[in-house]
Amino acid sequence: TAVECLEKVLSYTLLVEELTMGEIKELLVACTAYAIRDHQHILDDLKRPENQYMHNSIRYSEGTGKGGYDEPRTLGKTLQIAPVWFSNNQDESLMVCIDALCRRRHVTRQECLEMIQQSPKIIDNLLHIMSREASAGVQEQACDGAAAVILCFLMMLPQYYAISGEIDAEKELEDAMHCNKILFQHPRSLQMLIRARNKAAAVDPVAIAVKTRQQWSARGDEDMLHHALPKLSPNTGRLGICTLRILNNFTLIPDAPAPVFIALLPIAYTACARAPTESDIASSASRGPGPRYTDEYLMQQRQLYEVRLRPAEQSSAYDPLLDRIQLFVAPETIVGPTLLFRLLRKLAATGYTLERLRELKRIPPNTPDIDETPTALVHIHQIVEARTIGKLIRMSVHRRVLRRREMGNKLLSTKPDVARVIYMSAAQLAQAVAYFGTDVPNIIAEGVKENLNSIRTAYQEMVLCLGNACEAYIRMKCWGMAAAMAEHVVETCNHFPPEEAASIGWDIKSSREKNARRLETAKKELRT
């Protein structure tokens, strides 16, 4: 098919560099419109006698044998297989768009802004694909996850790989914020994003896998199971974490109404749940074969890398210029609490302090997608309870941020670009906790010493993670970003009270001096 041909060309060659952004825009419009279509139209076409030739274009399975290419085609068999075949083609059409965007050396935020301004239908189509229910008889569709990846890329805040002077950093950030404003000005964007996130959170991978197995068995084509099952959980992970990443951007939009932040609180809180551990997976596996905790683990732990890959025939040795991460979304266990603390901070700034939220008698009017029911109100009260907030602060700082930083340390020497994005995701969570603790000071009083130390530790972790990210940028020879990062770290250290740093055993003087040396190194390279 045309979709398969495009996928091969963009995945295994450098021809994507020859495409203009106008051509990529047209590709996005065409592929998202194709992915939105219902499979009923292809069933109607197949039933027409003049379209008998189309039966041979429908793949039953890979290889030969039961359900293979050598099996005689019948109308009944083809009609059974057609919805899944068409669904897979829709999935591949959106994967082509991901290749077109992520395999280019650089896509500026201005180019993304121009695409969605000239073709607003792109956002309409992506939101529709993300939020719709799966087609009848098709459980393994990956369209919604791929659509979430594309929208996340278009709304992504700028990444700076080039040296200072090649990119106008302020203009890039301005264009990125403009992209997000356009998205959230869409009349139903928040409702559709909330629906997409709730859909991902409600997925039971075991139930879907069982149902998928039953459907393929009923079609007499169990050979295709190994193609359908592996993408269930990764797809759910993509949809869930990319939606959370986009909603995080919403907290940066000025003058957003408080009821919207209240609507997002349950979503953010649910995403803070503990991910299954290795022992959970082991105990689940002992109960028998089949996807159990392994799938749930992938859903919550999945961190999405989209890189500009070289053609397959070239060397596979890691190259920071060619194997560069174009899009990164942290696991749900990081991006979920980051969203929660940003929401609480924004609510406090609009007058909805923790005390006011606890005293709410009804959900405020104009709150999207939350019914004014006691259950919803009780959920809000549970989220903002002092004990719950204190527990989330300590868990985020002392477990999740720390583990992410340690993960980055292991990769810094061999894959600095991967380490960079890991450090940055940990720093974002630490920053969200630190700024929340500063702007909502009563949370410290409610938790006494435990919360106070955790807030101070959040500042320490933010400095350590950003400093390590600066080191990664230096190793990548991205001097402009390294200088900006080091300067921010030095400024933070200069304003943090030394006595508070000493109370948690943080040698803040050493952190300041180390990053001052990094700043000098970056500035020296920029001058040469």
Side-chain angles (χ1 to χ4, degrees):
T1 66
V3 169
E4 290 174 327
C5 180
L6 272 173
E7 193 272 333
K8 297 299 183 187
V9 168
L10 294 180
S11 295
Y12 296 100
T13 73
L14 293 175
L15 290 180
V16 66
E17 293 287 355
E18 303 301 322
L19 295 177
T20 67
M21 292 308 297
E23 291 168 334
I24 291 179
K25 178 197 68 177
E26 295 302 322
L27 184 66
L28 281 173
V29 172
C31 289
T32 55
Y34 177 71
I36 246 176
R37 300 179 68 182
D38 187 84
H39 63 248
Q40 186 59 46
H41 80 280
I42 196 170
L43 297 180
D44 295 338
D45 286 343
L46 287 170
K47 292 175 183 177
R48 296 172 183 165
E50 64 270 22
N51 292 335
Q52 180 73 29
Y53 71 93
M54 293 176 60
H55 295 195
N56 291 326
S57 67
I58 305 279
R59 290 187 180 182
Y60 281 37
S61 72
E62 301 291 342
T64 58
K66 187 177 182 181
Y69 293 121
D70 58 350
E71 182 175 337
R73 301 299 205 261
T74 64
L75 178 60
K77 177 70 173 178
T78 303
L79 292 178
Q80 279 186 325
I81 275 300
V84 178
W85 175 86
F86 182 63
S87 168
N88 288 338
N89 266 270
Q90 289 178 309
D91 300 343
E92 289 180 2
S93 72
L94 293 188
M95 297 302 178
V96 164
C97 296
I98 294 175
D99 282 339
L101 290 170
C102 292
R103 296 187 191 280
R104 295 175 65 85
R105 288 187 180 274
H106 188 68
V107 177
T108 67
R109 298 301 93 194
Q110 181 180 0
E111 290 170 331
C112 291
L113 176 59
E114 290 173 352
M115 278 198 293
I116 61 178
Q117 283 179 328
Q118 295 169 10
S119 300
K121 195 67 177 175
I122 292 174
I123 288 182
D124 291 337
N125 291 348
L126 292 174
L127 288 172
H128 179 81
I129 296 167
M130 289 169 62
S131 59
R132 70 180 178 186
E133 296 300 320
S135 302
V138 181
Q139 292 295 320
E140 63 274 19
Q141 194 167 20
C143 269
D144 48 7
V149 172
I150 296 170
L151 187 60
C152 192
F153 183 91
L154 295 175
M155 299 299 131
M156 179 176 61
L157 297 183
Q159 301 183 77
Y160 307 116
Y161 295 100
I163 62 172
S164 178
E166 290 186 13
I167 296 176
D168 186 340
E170 291 186 6
K171 180 67 166 58
E172 277 281 273
L173 183 57
E174 180 184 335
D175 291 335
M177 294 306 299
H178 197 169
C179 288
N180 282 276
K181 286 178 183 177
I182 291 175
L183 170 65
F184 291 112
Q185 285 170 355
H186 186 284
R188 297 183 61 237
S189 62
L190 276 170
Q191 288 88 342
M192 297 174 88
L193 287 169
I194 290 172
R195 191 178 305 136
R197 171 59 199 171
N198 288 339
K199 180 177 74 169
V203 164
D204 181 349
V206 179
I208 289 183
V210 170
K211 192 167 184 178
T212 302
R213 183 174 284 108
Q214 291 171 345
Q215 289 172 347
W216 282 106
S217 298
R219 298 179 183 120
D221 203 349
E222 295 186 21
D223 293 340
M224 283 293 284
L225 273 175
H226 71 283
H227 292 291
L229 292 180
K231 69 179 178 180
L232 289 174
S233 290
N235 171 59
T236 307
R238 292 187 187 101
L239 177 62
I241 64 176
C242 286
T243 304
L244 287 172
R245 179 66 263 174
I246 295 166
L247 291 174
N248 261 281
N249 290 353
F250 180 69
T251 62
L252 305 177
I253 303 295
D255 304 324
V260 174
F261 296 130
I262 294 176
L264 297 177
L265 279 178
I267 291 176
Y269 179 73
T270 303
C272 294
R274 180 184 73 92
T277 64
E278 295 294 340
S279 60
D280 292 329
I281 296 174
S283 62
S284 174
S286 66
R287 295 198 296 269
R292 297 179 186 273
Y293 259 124
T294 302
D295 288 294
E296 296 171 7
Y297 181 78
L298 285 173
M299 283 166 50
Q300 297 194 43
Q301 292 284 44
R302 175 142 179 101
Q303 53 189 32
L304 176 67
Y305 301 91
E306 290 296 339
V307 302
R308 180 184 178 278
L309 297 176
R310 294 161 290 181
E313 65 271 12
Q314 292 191 15
S315 169
S316 61
Y318 177 77
D319 186 317
L321 293 178
L322 293 176
D323 295 325
R324 191 176 65 196
I325 295 175
Q326 298 286 65
L327 172 65
F328 174 85
V329 183
E332 186 171 303
T333 49
I334 295 293
V335 75
T338 302
L339 175 60
L340 179 66
F341 287 113
R342 286 180 174 178
L343 290 172
L344 291 172
R345 183 178 173 225
K346 291 287 287 189
L347 283 167
T350 58
Y352 280 89
T353 61
L354 293 176
E355 293 82 0
R356 184 178 175 186
L357 289 172
R358 291 166 189 157
E359 295 170 358
L360 284 179
K361 303 300 181 185
R362 60 191 294 273
I363 295 295
N366 301 321
T367 301
D369 265 20
I370 287 189
D371 297 329
E372 296 186 42
T373 62
T375 302
L377 192 58
V378 166
H379 197 183
I380 297 296
H381 289 165
Q382 290 173 342
I383 293 170
V384 297
E385 188 182 41
R387 182 179 176 184
T388 302
I389 296 296
K391 181 179 179 181
L392 285 172
I393 288 175
R394 293 187 291 274
M395 176 190 65
S396 298
V397 175
H398 298 289
R399 294 184 186 176
R400 297 185 178 180
V401 173
L402 178 62
R403 289 173 183 172
R404 295 291 288 176
R405 181 163 61 83
E406 291 173 345
M407 184 186 303
N409 291 343
K410 295 177 181 178
L411 295 169
L412 180 59
S413 60
T414 56
K415 296 187 177 182
D417 199 21
V418 178
R420 171 191 65 87
V421 291
I422 290 175
Y423 288 136
M424 291 299 293
S425 64
Q428 287 176 358
L429 176 53
Q431 183 188 60
V433 175
Y435 289 2
F436 169 72
T438 301
D439 294 349
V440 190
N442 59 314
I443 193 64
I444 295 176
E446 290 175 344
V448 198
K449 188 175 181 180
E450 291 83 356
N451 284 350
L452 177 59
N453 287 341
S454 294
I455 297 298
R456 291 171 177 173
T457 304
Y459 274 100
Q460 178 188 16
E461 287 294 337
M462 180 179 71
V463 165
L464 293 175
C465 290
L466 289 177
N468 289 351
C470 173
E471 180 64 29
Y473 274 115
I474 288 174
R475 298 187 184 203
M476 295 164 58
K477 303 186 185 306
C478 298
W479 309 113
M481 196 59 185
M485 197 78 65
E487 190 170 11
H488 178 71
V489 173
V490 171
E491 189 73 13
T492 301
C493 292
N494 287 338
H495 287 86
F496 195 84
E499 63 277 8
E500 293 186 13
S503 69
I504 57 172
W506 175 20
D507 187 354
I508 195 170
K509 181 181 178 181
S510 175
S511 295
R512 180 171 53 247
E513 292 174 350
K514 181 183 294 185
N515 285 282
R517 290 192 296 270
R518 289 168 175 160
L519 177 59
E520 182 59 33
T521 298
K523 286 184 174 180
K524 181 179 178 181
E525 291 293 337
L526 287 172
R527 289 192 296 264
T528 58

